[in-house]
Amino acid sequence: MAIDHDHLMNFDIPQVRQSYGPEEVARFGLTVGLGQDPMDMRQLAYVGALADDIRAMPAIVNVLGHPGFWLSNPETGVDALRLVHGEQGLTIHKTIPATASITAKTRVTGLVDKGEGRGALLYYEKRILEAESGDCLATCRGTTFLRGDGGFGGPSGPVKPAHRLPDTAPDHVFDTPTRPEQALSYRWNADPNPLHLDPRVAARSGFERPILHGLCSFGFAAHGLLAVLCDYDAARFGAMDARFTAAVYPGETLRTEIWTDGSFRTRVLERDILAIDNGLFKHRQAS
């Protein structure tokens, strides 16, 4: 079944309702590297260690109201076995509470046909609302590269441009080791994809062992930005966008290189490759 442009653009992804609290907040923080210094009071606030100060790490919005692997639905017309998560971004509109009930709605916002044999780009957006007030807490966005779905007669643009990093050396670096079992822990943030868990599945996909979730690597980068550019103050965390450029293996060290203008990228130290590139962070403006 080939992609039908209009059908996929208007594909109804069911709304998700979710309640969460300190347990979910702490789990997310721990799985993106927070708490590795158990004497850093600023980090402890994000992992549920301080009864009088419990905070949600901003990047948790990527996993709140997760709609599941909806592209595996045959009605989308997508070859779900050949898709790749290409880009991710988020904007925080209101400080994310440590306890809340939310609704989330995901929708397709764009579809680009790169041509026969060249795949397609699917752009999507998820809006997270506080259930009681109706206030929009965050908007998440992403790009999925549909490697097996080009040539369906769709539009050839517009293509989202990549942020260009400065030509100078980064102003800051933030190193965080991942643990060998990092993916086994991160899976409980609503992503049980066996590619990250089962060595047999990873081998069939061409990897020597299970790889880390892209959103986990993204969370580690967000941790670096929160630490370096926000001094661990979530109220200052506004938006971040980046491209995924290489897989990370659990146990490797992630170095997020940061410029004062908000540009960033994340490097795997052991292999000296970029896992995340073309990143841009923005502070949240005071309301």
Side-chain angles (χ1 to χ4, degrees):
M1 179 178 176
I3 286 178
D4 180 302
H5 175 270
D6 292 343
H7 176 69
L8 188 51
M9 283 294 300
N10 293 285
F11 194 81
D12 183 34
I13 305 164
Q15 183 186 71
V16 177
R17 293 179 176 271
Q18 179 182 359
S19 295
Y20 70 91
E23 181 177 344
E24 289 81 6
V25 164
R27 179 174 63 226
F28 182 81
L30 288 167
T31 57
V32 294
L34 285 149
Q36 289 191 2
D37 181 353
M39 295 300 291
D40 187 342
M41 299 290 286
R42 302 170 304 168
Q43 292 190 43
L44 295 182
Y46 293 98
V47 297
L50 308 177
D52 60 343
D53 189 4
I54 302 176
R55 307 182 192 181
M57 200 277 195
I60 194 174
V61 298
N62 281 328
V63 302
L64 292 179
H66 181 55
F69 189 24
W70 63 272
L71 280 170
S72 65
N73 186 333
E75 294 183 8
T76 64
V78 168
D79 181 351
L81 297 178
R82 298 185 63 192
L83 59 81
V84 176
H85 192 171
E87 298 171 313
Q88 185 67 26
L90 62 87
T91 299
I92 305 296
H93 305 295
K94 181 179 178 181
T95 300
I96 308 303
T99 301
S101 294
I102 58 100
T103 62
K105 181 69 174 175
T106 300
R107 67 184 183 94
V108 178
T109 57
L111 194 57
V112 174
D113 187 352
K114 296 172 67 68
E116 184 70 34
R118 299 179 61 197
L121 299 174
L122 182 144
Y123 299 108
Y124 59 90
E125 173 187 278
K126 178 181 71 178
R127 295 182 75 243
I128 301 174
L129 306 183
E130 200 168 22
E132 184 174 349
S133 67
D135 291 344
C136 185
L137 296 176
T139 303
C140 302
R141 53 194 163 268
T143 305
T144 300
F145 179 32
L146 309 177
R147 294 183 298 163
D149 295 296
F152 58 89
S156 59
V159 175
K160 178 183 174 183
H163 171 66
R164 182 175 178 179
L165 300 180
D167 295 328
T168 58
D171 300 298
H172 310 275
V173 296
F174 188 85
D175 291 352
T176 317
T178 66
R179 295 179 59 85
E181 74 278 14
Q182 198 79 49
L184 302 179
S185 299
Y186 189 85
R187 66 161 298 187
W188 298 109
N189 294 311
D191 194 344
N193 185 338
L195 175 63
H196 309 295
L197 311 172
D198 188 332
R200 298 167 298 182
V201 174
R204 289 198 295 269
S205 299
F207 296 103
E208 63 185 66
R209 58 187 190 273
I211 60 174
L212 198 60
H213 304 71
L215 286 183
C216 185
S217 301
F218 190 89
F220 270 78
H223 177 194
L225 296 167
L226 179 67
V228 172
L229 297 182
C230 302
D231 193 26
Y232 283 105
D233 181 1
R236 298 172 58 192
F237 198 104
M240 64 181 288
D241 289 88
R243 287 187 169 183
F244 297 112
T245 48
V248 175
Y249 291 109
E252 294 183 316
T253 303
L254 296 179
R255 167 172 288 176
T256 297
E257 302 171 341
I258 303 169
W259 286 262
T260 53
D261 72 346
S263 298
F264 70 93
R265 63 191 177 200
T266 299
R267 185 180 305 275
V268 178
L269 285 188
E270 289 80 358
R271 292 181 286 139
D272 193 28
I273 62 168
L274 291 177
I276 296 174
D277 203 0
N278 306 109
L280 180 63
F281 168 85
K282 297 180 180 179
H283 285 100
R284 184 150 63 93
Q285 301 300 313
S287 55

